[in-house]
Amino acid sequence: MNKYIPLIFIGLTIGGFALLAYHLTNETSDWKDYLSSSLIIIANIGMFIAIKKSDQWTKKDDE
């Protein structure tokens, strides 16, 4: 597996936290903004875990 793919998801997760921090400090943000930022973070963490698990399964199958 490409070693840069997990780094992309880590970067996107950090971006999600930055977006959430922006919405928390912005007075005009609504609950939908908080929800979308949280979903971005959760989705990127989930994809990162899925990639790591699939890489482990692929290594087990190769042995």
Side-chain angles (χ1 to χ4, degrees):
M1 183 183 66
N2 190 345
K3 64 180 178 179
Y4 297 110
I5 292 175
L7 294 176
I8 291 169
F9 285 108
I10 291 172
L12 289 172
T13 304
I14 292 170
F17 279 115
L19 186 64
L20 182 62
Y22 168 75
H23 286 310
L24 288 173
T25 58
N26 191 356
E27 295 175 359
T28 60
S29 293
D30 196 11
W31 66 271
K32 296 175 188 173
D33 298 324
Y34 305 140
L35 180 64
S36 67
S37 299
S38 300
L39 290 176
I40 289 170
I41 294 167
I42 292 168
N44 285 316
I45 291 172
M47 286 299 294
F48 178 75
I49 292 170
I51 287 172
K52 286 294 189 183
K53 289 288 185 187
S54 74
D55 195 32
Q56 290 174 357
W57 291 335
T58 305
K59 286 181 182 176
K60 287 180 185 176
D61 292 339
D62 291 341
E63 293 176 353

